[in-house]
Amino acid sequence: MALFEEISSESDRRRFNIKSPVTLESIGEFESATTEEVIAAVGRARKAQREWAQFSLADRAKVLWRWVDAIVERQDDIIELVMKETGKARNEAIAMEVMAPCMQISHYAKRGAKYLRTQKRRPTGVMRFSKKVSLVYQPLGVIGLITPWNGPIALVTNPLAQAFMAGNAVVHKPSEVTPFSAILLEELTQSAGFPEDLYQVVQGDGATGAALIDSGVDKISFTGSVATGRKVGEACGRNLIPVTLELGGKDAMIVCADADLDRAADGAVRGSFFNSGHYCCGTERIYVPEPIYESFVEKVVAKTKALKQTEACDGDVGAIFWDKQMDIIESHMADAKAKGAKVLVGGERDRSLPGYFFPPTVVVDVDHEMDLMRRETFGPVVAIQKVRDEQEAISLANDSDYGLSGNLWTRDLAKGEALAEQIVTGSVCVNDIAVTYGIPEAPFGGRKASGVGQVNGETGIRGYCHLHPIIIDTGKKAQGGYPYTRETAAGLQKLIRTVFGNRLLRWLFV
Ligand code: NAD
């Protein structure tokens, strides 16, 4: 049974129905925006942005703080709706979709003005005597935001807070399977007092996302799969607009021989099963040196068996958010089993529950011939591979098309930092699961197929700006230059020989 279905279409207006992955009952219907409606939304956003850009940074921050108030006040509505749409565990709905948005928005409300303060510079070299430089962070205009289904509030509020604080408007195309969360977000921004039309939602699937990229927006902020990211990158190239692509991952965890095995096993379980495994930086493959392998696996198995999965999603591991993902998980499991992998816990869809549930699963005897170790599974499955030593673990971790994040466990923190530098990925956490997205001081973004550009914090918010240099000449005399003569040409060449032919002078000159 498909959870997301097109039920009617008339030219490019289509009507969809979505069902809860937990109860399989309909949550509601919605219509996609037509191409004309997307273009009209961008036009309205452009007007609203002109008004918003006149707000001082301090006044923008006041509205962001009111937005946090609105989220705190309506937190029960957010939790219930997100659980209905996604089937994620209640505690995770609270932590990820209420707590994290409050932290993200508060961060930019408090620090945004500092990140965006105009910078005054004196040029180096001879220019220092006549020129002053101001670097002004100007908003880009209207941002097109395209988001996935695994964090329908948090993966929206984070780019929104940065884009708004920087003075932009946003037109948002949410995932087709979490449309109602975006409507609730629209209500929350309205009650916070953002100018009308500063944030607008255009509903639909990939076709609506593609229309948004072609609608005249000034930047695309995209989070989603590698396959879609390639199409989005191409379309942005055609439109000559900047883009950040936050894409999929196949994060590795490395357990060093000297690691605290209880902590590491906890990390393996949390990192793999958090958000039903629908976590872009989730741990998908674990490399463990031979001497500690048996004891580590034993601990992971015991901790996994203790996890609860319930029909009401009030246990530890929630439902699979979308049947499409269930198909991928099941196909990776079938491929691994056919190639000799051994399942120690879970391993098959739990059909005793009415909805889409896949139990937390531990798989061993895996290798890089299997999809489970090479392609993004994005489900509650952890695959553990025995390795000779830490160096083999690092080369296997790097043997991947992806490079989003990763984690490494050791008692020797200096060694941990040194080994982390050898892992070719967007970021690495030592002795914790991948938490980079939640730390704005750490720019977040993937390498290889996992993305283009970095987001969050100072780097991220400035990505929603054009850094506008204003150069002021402070001289009083006419600058002249004309007429050109043989003598002025010869004089210029002599200057080049004198200054750049002399090591000391060229050092002082620039
Ligand atoms: P997806 O790529 O299928 O869809 C993402 C969004 O793009 C949706 O809104 C979709 O409607 C839209 N879209 C589809 N085709 C489009 C097109 N041609 N042009 C424009 N928009 C289009 O991804 P998904 O299944 O919704 O999300 C899961 C993926 O997202 C996983 O790969 C996960 O790792 C990744 N993800 C990455 C991060 C990160 O920060 N790196 C965070 C969360 C999720």
Side-chain angles (χ1 to χ4, degrees):
M1 175 203 283
L3 297 178
F4 169 74
E5 268 177 327
E6 183 175 315
I7 47 176
S8 66
S9 77
E10 207 178 291
S11 67
D12 70 343
R13 182 184 302 289
R14 289 162 305 138
R15 196 163 178 82
F16 302 104
N17 179 42
I18 54 164
K19 297 190 180 92
S20 154
V22 179
T23 61
L24 306 185
E25 281 162 13
S26 174
I27 302 172
E29 295 181 2
F30 66 97
E31 274 185 356
S32 64
T34 64
T35 302
E36 288 70 34
E37 284 167 346
V38 173
I39 293 168
V42 172
R44 288 193 299 274
R46 207 164 281 295
K47 280 198 192 131
Q49 191 271 332
R50 285 193 202 107
E51 180 193 342
W52 179 239
Q54 299 308 311
F55 279 51
S56 67
L57 286 163
D59 285 342
R60 286 181 211 161
K62 280 184 198 152
V63 187
L64 262 73
W65 285 123
R66 289 205 297 269
W67 189 18
V68 178
D69 293 338
I71 290 175
V72 173
E73 206 166 294
R74 301 273 311 268
Q75 59 172 304
D76 289 336
D77 296 341
I78 298 174
I79 295 158
E80 290 310 319
L81 177 57
V82 165
M83 286 179 68
K84 208 152 74 169
E85 272 186 337
T86 66
K88 68 173 70 186
R90 178 175 295 279
N91 273 269
E92 292 175 351
I94 298 168
M96 185 168 170
E97 311 291 358
V98 178
M99 181 78 180
C102 288
M103 287 167 69
Q104 297 155 353
I105 302 167
S106 300
H107 181 87
Y108 297 102
K110 182 174 174 185
R111 296 192 169 77
K114 186 176 142 223
Y115 295 151
L116 300 177
R117 191 179 296 146
T118 295
Q119 296 176 28
K120 301 283 183 192
R121 298 269 170 85
R122 268 280 172 202
T124 52
V126 284
M127 293 290 188
R128 83 168 63 104
F129 303 113
S130 59
K131 309 259 191 269
K132 286 198 302 196
V133 176
S134 286
L135 300 176
V136 184
Y137 289 98
Q138 292 183 334
L140 289 175
V142 181
I143 308 298
L145 176 64
I146 303 174
T147 54
W149 43 265
N150 60 321
I153 302 287
L155 295 177
V156 181
T157 48
N158 197 29
L160 275 188
Q162 296 171 58
F164 287 156
M165 193 61 204
N168 299 283
V170 177
V171 178
H172 174 208
K173 209 300 284 171
S175 168
E176 49 273 49
V177 284
T178 55
F180 302 115
S181 291
I183 293 172
L184 179 54
L185 264 176
E186 234 176 358
E187 283 173 36
L188 292 168
T189 51
Q190 279 158 12
S191 62
F194 286 97
E196 201 181 341
D197 295 330
L198 194 76
Y199 171 57
Q200 294 169 74
V201 176
V202 288
Q203 301 283 7
D205 56 9
T208 319
L212 179 59
I213 302 172
D214 288 338
S215 66
V217 292
D218 301 294
K219 173 177 176 159
I220 289 289
S221 168
F222 174 82
T223 306
S225 64
V226 174
T228 311
R230 285 188 205 281
K231 292 185 204 162
V232 170
E234 280 175 22
C236 290
R238 187 167 21 82
N239 282 289
L240 294 178
I241 49 173
V243 60
T244 49
L245 300 171
E246 296 174 59
L247 309 180
K250 187 78 198 168
D251 279 5
M253 167 173 176
I254 295 175
V255 187
C256 294
D258 67 336
D260 175 334
L261 289 195
D262 278 313
R263 275 193 70 182
D266 260 347
V269 170
R270 256 186 316 127
S272 307
F273 306 140
F274 173 72
N275 213 35
S276 305
H278 307 319
Y279 177 39
C280 54
C281 305
T283 297
E284 297 228 346
R285 47 200 178 111
I286 305 186
Y287 301 102
V288 188
E290 208 174 343
I292 56 162
Y293 175 81
E294 293 298 338
S295 129
F296 176 78
V297 170
E298 208 173 279
K299 286 177 193 294
V300 171
V301 165
K303 286 175 196 290
T304 304
K305 282 185 174 161
L307 295 176
K308 289 195 178 62
Q309 195 168 42
T310 73
E311 198 178 325
C313 292
D314 51 6
D316 304 304
V317 181
I320 297 304
F321 300 1
W322 193 356
D323 50 309
K324 215 173 82 170
Q325 204 59 43
M326 181 68 95
D327 295 344
I328 296 172
I329 298 165
E330 288 187 320
S331 107
H332 287 193
M333 286 301 300
D335 174 75
K337 284 186 215 167
K339 290 175 180 161
K342 193 166 149 201
V343 176
L344 300 183
V345 192
E348 271 176 36
R349 178 176 166 184
D350 184 349
R351 290 184 185 272
S352 69
L353 296 172
Y356 280 87
F357 285 89
F358 199 92
T361 292
V362 182
V363 189
V364 294
D365 295 348
V366 289
D367 61 42
H368 278 214
E369 296 302 309
M370 300 171 183
D371 288 347
L372 199 55
M373 298 302 274
R374 296 209 79 91
R375 292 163 179 244
E376 186 182 44
T377 306
F378 216 52
V381 180
V382 58
I384 311 177
Q385 181 167 351
K386 192 195 290 182
V387 293
R388 227 178 15 255
D389 54 24
E390 288 149 10
Q391 275 313 318
E392 187 184 13
I394 286 174
S395 52
L396 284 169
N398 288 340
D399 176 28
S400 176
D401 295 337
Y402 296 93
L404 190 55
S405 193
N407 53 107
L408 185 143
W409 300 72
T410 169
R411 284 195 169 90
D412 179 345
L413 300 187
K415 179 178 99 177
E417 222 172 315
L419 292 178
E421 276 197 42
Q422 296 178 34
I423 304 176
V424 185
T425 183
S427 60
V428 179
C429 295
V430 176
N431 292 338
D432 201 350
I433 67 167
V435 290
T436 318
Y437 195 78
I439 300 184
E441 289 70 21
F444 178 84
R447 296 178 72 178
K448 300 194 259 183
S450 289
V452 174
Q454 287 182 308
V455 299
N456 296 349
E458 186 178 80
T459 310
I461 195 170
R462 289 177 176 175
Y464 289 101
C465 298
H466 167 69
L467 183 56
H468 189 65
I470 299 174
I471 296 146
I472 299 165
D473 192 294
T474 54
K476 299 230 168 9
K477 284 197 219 146
Q479 284 144 336
Y482 294 125
Y484 295 149
T485 62
R486 281 295 173 114
E487 287 71 29
T488 57
L492 210 49
Q493 283 192 292
K494 190 174 169 200
L495 179 73
I496 293 168
R497 271 194 300 277
T498 312
V499 174
F500 291 99
N502 179 296
R503 288 187 176 187
L504 178 63
L505 284 181
R506 70 184 174 210
W507 174 260
L508 296 171
F509 195 80
V510 294

